[in-house]
Amino acid sequence: MERAIHWSKVGEAGFVSGMKILFTVYRWFGRWPFRVALYPVLAWYVATRPDARAASRDYLNRLHQDTAGASPAPTLLSVLRHFGAFAETLLDKLLVWSAPERVGGVHVDGGQPLIDLLEQGKGGVIVASHIGNFELCRAMAKQRRSALKLTIFTHTRHAQQFNRLMRELAPDSQVDLIQVTDLSSATAVLLSERVERGEFVVIAGDRVPVSDQGRMVPVDFLGCPTLLPMGPYLIASILKCPLLVVIASKRGCDTHITIRKLADPVHLPRADRTAGATLLAQQFADLMAAECHLAPLQWFNFFPFWAQARMTEAQA
């Protein structure tokens, strides 16, 4: 029977414990020596973590079928490259705060809706994904604090080692984070106040909630049925605010930030909120799929994503 491990239960098993040493290698010698030092670590991790290895292969296989063979085949080498892309993203997360000039070029596609909201002094909800490096958006917001302010919903108990490394090497990176496992009335009031001030609330839309797992909707992602959380769409509906999707992925040496507005404001019908949220979640899933086609090694959900959705649905 296929196991379905919740993402928040997946241990780090030392994957990021050596990043401080590898970051030092990068600082002294550059990216290619960093890669030379990195791949033995990756080979060990892939060899000793069958769950993560299987999750990567499952994603690569589904993407390979959805692209009619245009994306990398789900081989062990592709799995290793997939983890390598993730490790390089961890490096870029650190560089964004400590040496942003080394991250490479940044290209923005569809930024006008966000610019319009900023000029109007309006806030909203941003749905993010585990594609690429959203840290770049946070750093840009920090550098332009007078114009764009972000509040990040995060489950910071996950990846604790990397969060400690970020605090040590880039203290400013932990600003404006809110750790949540559920949306309380106090949190809703806090978010409402921030949106009214023209700020943006960022919520991941591609992970099963830590709690209240029944609040999910069915979508098609990469040609396969799965479940995505209702949270971002419910919150935007409660706050009666605009809803945007922002995805920042690495394509070659440059970062491409894709911005799309899904609704302004969000209205979910009282009679069937699930149906309204499903339509928005499917648009988000379509944008993720399009980005995966363009940057196939940039989706970093290393847990049994589709298997978990099936088990959760069966338990409902």
Side-chain angles (χ1 to χ4, degrees):
M1 180 177 179
E2 193 172 12
R3 289 182 296 170
I5 304 171
H6 195 281
W7 63 266
S8 64
K9 306 299 183 185
V10 177
E12 296 158 281
F15 182 74
V16 298
S17 61
M19 281 302 296
K20 186 174 181 180
I21 296 174
L22 292 172
F23 187 60
T24 302
V25 171
Y26 172 84
R27 278 179 143 170
W28 280 94
F29 304 107
R31 191 173 285 267
W32 274 107
F34 165 83
R35 288 170 176 162
V36 171
L38 169 67
Y39 270 86
V41 178
L42 288 179
W44 170 83
Y45 185 84
V46 170
T48 58
R49 293 303 306 271
D51 290 329
R53 184 174 68 244
S56 172
R57 192 188 293 270
D58 183 32
Y59 158 71
L60 292 172
N61 180 55
R62 293 173 192 273
L63 180 61
H64 192 66
Q65 294 181 21
D66 198 51
T67 61
S71 66
T75 63
L76 185 58
L77 178 59
S78 294
V79 171
L80 189 63
R81 290 176 58 211
H82 191 194
F83 279 96
F86 176 57
E88 297 223 15
T89 296
L90 296 184
L91 172 63
D92 286 339
K93 286 176 184 287
L94 296 170
L95 291 179
V96 159
W97 296 99
S98 60
E101 70 281 358
R102 297 187 181 184
V103 174
V106 178
H107 307 276
V108 180
D109 173 20
Q112 193 60 46
L114 180 57
I115 293 173
D116 291 342
L117 290 173
L118 292 173
E119 291 178 346
Q120 297 165 17
K122 296 174 64 175
V125 170
I126 292 175
V127 190
S129 70
H130 289 82
I131 295 176
N133 182 15
F134 192 83
E135 206 73 31
L136 183 66
C137 300
R138 292 176 55 192
M140 291 173 64
K142 182 70 176 178
Q143 294 165 6
R144 298 165 175 79
R145 195 165 182 81
S146 60
L148 178 60
K149 296 183 179 181
L150 301 177
T151 295
I152 315 292
F153 258 40
T154 182
H155 183 64
T156 56
R157 285 177 293 181
H158 186 58
Q160 291 179 356
Q161 292 181 23
F162 186 71
N163 283 318
R164 285 195 296 270
L165 181 60
M166 288 287 288
R167 285 195 299 270
E168 179 180 342
L169 297 179
D172 288 344
S173 66
Q174 296 299 306
V175 175
D176 298 324
L177 295 178
I178 295 181
Q179 178 177 320
V180 293
T181 55
D182 201 1
L183 180 65
S184 66
S185 57
T187 303
V189 171
L190 172 64
L191 298 181
S192 178
E193 291 174 347
R194 296 196 176 196
V195 169
E196 288 177 2
R197 293 199 301 263
E199 301 181 18
F200 290 83
V201 177
V202 182
I203 310 172
D206 60 347
R207 282 193 173 175
V208 175
V210 175
S211 62
D212 196 12
Q213 294 187 27
R215 305 187 80 174
M216 294 182 292
V217 293
V219 300
D220 179 274
F221 177 48
L222 297 180
C224 305
T226 189
L227 299 172
L228 292 180
M230 289 180 63
Y233 318 106
L234 289 175
I235 291 173
S237 176
I238 292 170
L239 300 180
K240 297 180 175 61
C241 67
L243 176 70
L244 299 94
V245 174
V246 177
I247 300 174
S249 69
K250 203 70 173 280
R251 303 182 199 169
C253 296
D254 295 339
T255 297
H256 287 250
I257 301 177
T258 301
I259 302 174
R260 297 289 184 270
K261 184 165 65 175
L262 299 187
D264 184 10
V266 175
H267 290 296
L268 297 183
R270 287 176 176 262
D272 195 352
R273 290 185 173 181
T274 300
T278 299
L279 291 175
L280 293 171
Q282 185 60 63
Q283 292 182 59
F284 171 67
D286 291 342
L287 287 169
M288 284 202 303
E291 199 68 27
C292 289
H293 282 218
L294 293 169
L297 299 179
Q298 290 284 297
W299 192 61
F300 302 132
N301 265 335
F302 293 109
F303 67 97
F305 185 81
W306 284 270
Q308 178 176 269
R310 287 194 299 272
M311 176 173 283
T312 303
E313 193 173 44
Q315 293 173 345

